[in-house]
Amino acid sequence: MPKIVYIEANGQRHEADVETGMSVMQGALNFGIPGIDGDCGGACACATCHVYVAAGETRPVPPISDAEKAMLAFALDVTPESRLSCQIEVGPDLDGLEVRLPTAQK
Amino acid sequence: MTETVIVLGAGQAAAQLVLSLRQGGFRGRVAVYGDEADPPYQRPPLSKAYLRGEMPASRLALRAPALYARQEIEIVPGARATKIDRVARKVSFDGRADESYDRLALCLGSRPRPIPIPCACPDALLYLRSRADADALRDRIASSRDVVILGAGYLGLEIAASLVDRVRSVMVLETATTVLARVAGRTIAAHFEAVHRRHGVGIQLGVSAMRIAAGADGRAVVHASDGTAYPADIVVAAIGGVANDQIARDAGLDCDGGILIDARGLTSDERIVAAGDCAVMRPAAGARALRVESVGNAIEQAKAAAATLCGGEYAADPLAWFWSDQFDLKLQTVGIPDRTAAEIVVGDLAADRFAVCYVRDGRLVAVDAVNLPECLIEAKRLIRSSEPFDETNMRNVAAGAAARAPATGSGR
């Protein structure tokens, strides 16, 4: 199973095995990662699953959609590295992906 | 220190409440008793992607079962509570031993409002609330040609949108003179009605189903108040929900269309909290109790209740939010739309990219945004502030949305 690394704002790292086809958000919920709420269940409707993916990331993270761009404006502390983790589907080629969490979701 | 928290119900509110309990440092026993077969799962997809077979059952779970196990949260499915004894502080169940509690959390949800008409074909009459309901509906769709849906609220319309390309005909009957009569303004209602008709959904407004008869061909026939008869392989009733508060009323808790709670989630018994669809915030003197059925409401009330059980406080976000996906329309709502408010439309109706601003006494009270989340940000800020509504500013936000550079700025 692909491994996703979640890094809390305080630096705490969590490595979680996430089933292929699940989103990075669902992986975090299933692992109980603090700081990802995912209130809408991945419908791209709440912006409570905000993460940062490093600009230099070489794994093929799916591109950002217009809907995601628009919803991201709801999140706090948005940067060019911001993504909604419900929109990132996990596959073998994302194995080892690191996502950093913001300090607050709301 | 509280030792045992028993949670009745295993939906969105229950899942949030128990996880928030552990996050809040509660170390006692936590056990969740739900009357369905599954651990807590998402209900919104049941009328959308799951109903269409585009989402596997494994994706419905709110959290992986292993998470509850790691957090030492007992999830007990198939357990129907029958009685709360507030003096002895125990709960009785159908076919299992009583459970004692120190604190009790009621997350009992709601159930579909039953249609108050005679039905000679009970097998053809379906409701949609649980995963089992959705599975039953999916099974029946495969062999159905004509579907009649009673009720043009969000649920009825979502079901219509999900099914219209799967069957020969979908007909929605609605007693009110518009769709979404209780939940959206006239602009949204007219727009959604037009989009549904364009996709082939039949909509009959201002008529009530009077009875469901058995037709000569073995199918059901819905007889409407205007004299029309609608043959149907299945009839789906979606005329709203009713709080599951019977067990609380039997126990003598204050209820008024739901279990009455305060801002901390406490019921009229200080050992018992409630959250989600089954609960209703005790209204201010003279105001009407308003029960809200939404994911956001369940989450906020559950967090408040969990904080109370942990001896702390959580300031729940009072701003309601909802979403509905129908065809290519992604509707997002903040606040409670109200037909007594003025409706100001910004954006482009023809392009399905617009927002309806509900304004009363110069203040913004709610926004319905269709494929235009940008307007929600400004709306949230405005509703929370006491600033007057600025129509020009909102028009600029809508106009700028298409051209807006992605994901920059403070985003606040």
Side-chain angles (χ1 to χ4, degrees), chain B residues 46-366:
Chain B
L46 297 181
S47 54
K48 310 181 188 86
Y50 185 75
L51 186 57
R52 289 178 59 79
E54 292 166 352
M55 178 183 192
S58 60
R59 292 284 188 281
L60 285 179
L62 280 164
R63 300 290 194 277
L67 176 64
Y68 302 111
R70 268 204 307 280
Q71 306 248 357
E72 297 183 41
I73 294 163
E74 301 165 45
I75 304 279
V76 186
R80 195 176 71 82
T82 54
K83 186 178 176 227
I84 299 165
D85 182 337
R86 295 201 282 136
V87 176
R89 299 212 304 266
K90 67 181 171 107
V91 180
S92 302
F93 294 89
D94 199 357
R96 59 182 308 122
D98 292 355
E99 289 288 339
S100 294
Y101 64 83
D102 296 296
R103 304 298 291 271
L104 181 65
L106 303 178
C107 302
L108 296 159
S110 58
R111 62 185 181 281
R113 183 180 299 281
I115 52 166
I117 60 172
C119 177
C121 300
D123 288 351
L125 177 60
L126 302 176
Y127 292 89
L128 180 53
R129 164 73 189 171
S130 65
R131 182 190 157 198
D133 294 337
D135 289 343
L137 183 50
R138 274 166 57 161
D139 283 352
R140 295 294 292 275
I141 285 306
S143 59
S144 293
R145 287 172 299 165
D146 304 304
V147 177
V148 170
I149 296 170
L150 305 180
Y154 281 122
L155 182 62
L157 291 188
E158 287 175 2
I159 295 169
S162 294
L163 299 187
V164 70
D165 64 350
R166 303 290 165 92
V167 294
R168 183 171 67 185
S169 79
V170 172
M171 172 59 70
V172 181
L173 305 184
E174 168 59 50
T175 305
T177 53
T178 74
V179 303
L180 303 173
R182 289 184 308 119
V183 289
R186 295 177 195 286
T187 313
I188 290 288
H191 194 81
F192 275 62
E193 180 187 343
V195 170
H196 272 262
R197 289 192 191 278
R198 201 186 312 144
H199 280 87
V201 175
I203 297 177
Q204 194 64 52
L205 300 169
V207 301
S208 301
M210 303 304 285
R211 64 192 175 92
I212 302 173
D217 57 359
R219 300 203 298 162
V221 181
V222 179
H223 291 275
S225 53
D226 65 350
T228 312
Y230 299 94
D233 299 284
I234 53 174
V235 180
V236 186
I239 59 167
V242 185
N244 289 330
D245 62 358
Q246 187 63 50
I247 194 172
R249 280 191 279 146
D250 291 345
L253 293 175
D254 289 355
C255 295
D256 180 9
I259 304 164
L260 284 169
I261 56 169
D262 65 14
R264 304 168 62 208
L266 282 172
T267 67
S268 54
D269 181 330
E270 63 178 17
R271 290 190 172 271
I272 304 179
V273 295
D277 286 8
C278 72
V280 56
M281 197 66 77
R282 199 181 278 276
R288 199 170 56 90
L290 178 66
R291 194 173 63 86
V292 179
E293 287 185 13
S294 77
V295 166
N297 181 66
I299 289 172
E300 289 299 302
Q301 290 185 345
K303 286 180 176 175
T308 298
L309 295 181
C310 290
E313 273 184 44
Y314 172 81
D317 184 347
L319 192 53
W321 62 275
F322 313 87
W323 78 93
S324 179
D325 296 328
Q326 298 170 39
F327 305 112
D328 293 329
L329 305 180
K330 187 172 186 61
L331 172 75
Q332 291 161 291
T333 304
V334 293
I336 308 264
D338 174 344
R339 289 201 174 179
T340 66
E343 297 178 24
I344 293 167
V345 181
V346 301
D348 188 347
L349 266 171
D352 287 337
R353 190 172 158 82
F354 64 95
V356 179
C357 305
Y358 297 85
V359 179
R360 196 187 306 115
D361 300 331
R363 303 258 189 269
L364 186 66
V365 293

Side-chain angles (χ1 to χ4, degrees), chain A residues 21 29-30 43 69 71 73-75, chain B residues 59 63-64 330 332 376 406 411:
Chain A
L29 294 185
N30 284 341
K69 273 181 208 169
M71 280 310 293
F74 276 92
Chain B
R59 292 284 188 281
R63 300 290 194 277
K330 187 172 186 61
Q332 291 161 291
L376 286 182

